[in-house]
Amino acid sequence: MPDNDPVLIHQREAIATLTLNRPDKLNALSYGLIDRLLEMLDAIEVDPSIRAVILTGAGERAFSAGGDIHEFSQSVAAGPEQAVRDFVRRGQALTARLEAFGKPVIAAVNGLAYGGGCEITEAVPLAIASERAMFAKPEINLGMPPTFGGTQRLPRLAGRKRALELLLTGDPFTPQRALELGLVNAVVPHEELLPAAHALAARILRHSSLAAASILIAVTRGINTSIAEGLLIESEQFARIVPTADLREGLDAWMARRQPVYSGDWSLVAKAG
């Protein structure tokens, strides 16, 4: 893959690391970068050799400083319809894809996560921040609201009043504050960021990938429903797992006091008997 690709991919064992690769632009989310990232996620989703994804930024300064303002401003100049089509729908498609992805995605936030970069962090299931990271919801400084889901996901993560303070002031906040708000799972020394992300992925990969996918689906689909609806979704995901060889292997291994060996294959059903 050429070094000028807007998103780089590196696979180590069952973990793919995707790197936003516009370090000279603080990894700003150009239309081309978003399209390329969506294309890569489509390929990863159907690749059985990849079971988890780490998403990070190139360079030492930024995870992503948000949307590419120069590009976005051209869409704005063309009017609301084009601006929504080019920018809003594309950005919301990315964050929705990350939020609902069938394999665990871990953001390794290595620097600035402003605007769209913060919204990616909000959307992914898991996130670890470097102690050098900084976050912000600075869209109000441009005279606009967030557009990649930030007005919806941050209040759900942090609570209405705490989210509104960040959204209405545009003030940056520290990784420790992001941890308090539930935006990230951990803050680690900068040099330990990618090892920590890999370690978290490895802890997940000990388990059945089918069970992990079912958990991701149940949480993503259920979190914004009533508890009754959420419980139905949970039941549906369990019923989907029941015939699989992975569940039978997990039960047999537990009873035999041995480590399970999962296939991760939906098409393999448990043997009778």
Side-chain angles (χ1 to χ4, degrees):
M1 180 175 294
D3 289 342
N4 61 354
D5 196 301
V7 184
L8 304 177
I9 183 169
H10 176 263
Q11 184 174 349
R12 191 175 84 190
E13 297 178 341
I15 303 168
T17 299
L18 298 179
T19 304
L20 308 180
N21 187 39
R22 301 183 72 208
D24 56 324
K25 301 293 184 182
L26 299 179
N27 301 318
L29 302 172
S30 66
Y31 298 161
L33 184 152
I34 293 173
D35 292 346
R36 181 64 172 142
L37 183 51
L38 285 166
E39 178 184 300
M40 287 182 162
L41 290 171
D42 286 344
I44 288 169
E45 187 174 46
V46 296
D47 186 342
S49 73
I50 298 174
R51 294 181 51 204
V53 178
I54 294 170
L55 183 61
T56 193
E60 292 297 316
R61 298 175 62 195
F63 174 68
S64 174
D68 188 313
I69 302 303
H70 294 288
E71 190 175 50
F72 167 56
S73 65
Q74 295 175 20
S75 298
V76 169
E81 187 173 320
Q82 184 163 333
V84 168
R85 182 179 62 248
D86 290 351
F87 188 66
V88 179
R89 290 181 186 166
R90 184 181 262 110
Q92 289 185 355
L94 174 61
T95 52
R97 188 80 171 97
L98 290 166
E99 184 175 50
F101 200 62
K103 300 177 181 182
V105 179
I106 302 167
V109 184
N110 57 302
L112 298 178
Y114 282 15
C118 192
E119 286 167 308
I120 286 174
T121 310
E122 294 158 19
V124 294
L126 299 161
I128 298 175
S130 160
E131 61 189 1
R132 298 183 192 172
M134 284 295 290
F135 299 83
K137 311 293 295 183
E139 291 88 348
I140 197 167
N141 296 326
L142 300 175
M144 59 179 273
T147 55
F148 291 6
T151 63
Q152 302 305 305
R153 291 189 181 92
L154 188 61
R156 287 165 166 81
L157 285 167
R160 177 172 171 264
K161 285 182 170 58
R162 292 191 294 183
L164 279 170
E165 179 185 350
L166 300 172
L167 291 163
L168 292 173
T169 64
D171 292 343
F173 55 101
T174 66
Q176 288 75 23
R177 180 66 170 151
L179 181 62
E180 293 169 7
L181 295 172
L183 187 56
V184 300
N185 296 88
V187 178
V188 299
H190 186 72
E191 62 277 8
E192 295 177 18
L193 178 63
L194 286 178
H198 274 272
L200 177 56
R203 287 163 54 202
I204 297 168
L205 296 188
R206 296 175 301 175
H207 306 296
S208 164
S209 60
L210 307 188
S214 295
I215 290 167
L216 288 166
I217 292 168
V219 171
T220 302
R221 287 177 51 195
I223 197 167
N224 295 321
T225 68
S226 69
I227 187 66
E229 291 173 300
L231 290 171
L232 285 174
I233 293 167
E234 183 177 271
S235 179
E236 289 168 1
Q237 290 306 308
F238 171 70
R240 188 176 177 222
I241 284 285
V242 166
T244 66
D246 270 15
L247 178 55
R248 186 70 264 164
E249 169 63 11
L251 293 171
D252 288 347
W254 187 89
M255 289 185 285
R257 300 295 189 267
R258 62 172 175 80
Q259 289 297 312
V261 179
Y262 296 112
S263 70
D265 189 338
W266 286 106
S267 66
L268 289 180
V269 297
K271 295 179 181 178

